[in-house]
Amino acid sequence: MPVGAKLLQYTAQPVDAAEALRIGLVEAISEDDDPLGLALEVAGQIAVNSPRAIRSVKQCVDRGLDLDLPAGLELERELWIDLIPDGDLTEGAAAFFDKRDPVYPD
């Protein structure tokens, strides 16, 4: 039986880690007893990106949940436009083509 968000909420049905991964409730499962290594790996993947862009993505998700699609797309456009003057887009593209890690200001 497929498990959806409403069914989980209504029934309080327990979900094991494998099922949570399968239905998209979690992003990853650590094979270790201590998941710190996996958490640090994910944090490292995030940390190489523009801090300003990460903040914008977080704003887009947090604020966008309460918006309809046109307003959400407008929010995304505004936040993306705000990133252009800071040079992060240019630095990211240059680093990609130069095959080097980008260096973003904080």
Side-chain angles (χ1 to χ4, degrees):
M1 173 177 183
V3 178
K6 286 183 179 179
L7 183 61
L8 288 174
Q9 292 172 337
Y10 296 156
T11 65
Q13 177 182 350
V15 177
D16 66 17
E19 179 68 2
L21 181 64
R22 188 186 74 73
I23 64 175
L25 189 60
V26 298
E27 302 290 329
I29 299 173
S30 175
E31 299 297 327
D32 297 330
D33 289 336
D34 181 8
L36 181 60
L38 178 59
L40 291 173
E41 180 182 330
V42 171
Q45 292 171 349
I46 294 169
V48 299
N49 295 303
S50 159
R52 289 184 189 101
I54 296 298
R55 282 191 292 273
S56 290
V57 168
K58 288 172 71 174
Q59 283 185 48
C60 220
V61 171
D62 292 345
R63 293 171 49 197
L65 288 173
D66 296 325
L67 302 175
D68 61 17
L69 182 58
L73 292 172
E74 177 62 20
L75 172 64
E76 181 181 11
R77 185 185 73 76
E78 289 171 6
L79 291 171
W80 189 83
I81 287 171
D82 287 346
L83 293 172
I84 295 172
D86 295 328
D88 290 12
L89 177 63
T90 304
E91 171 57 17
F96 175 80
F97 288 113
D98 293 345
K99 295 181 174 49
R100 63 174 173 79
D101 291 337
V103 178
Y104 299 110
D106 290 332

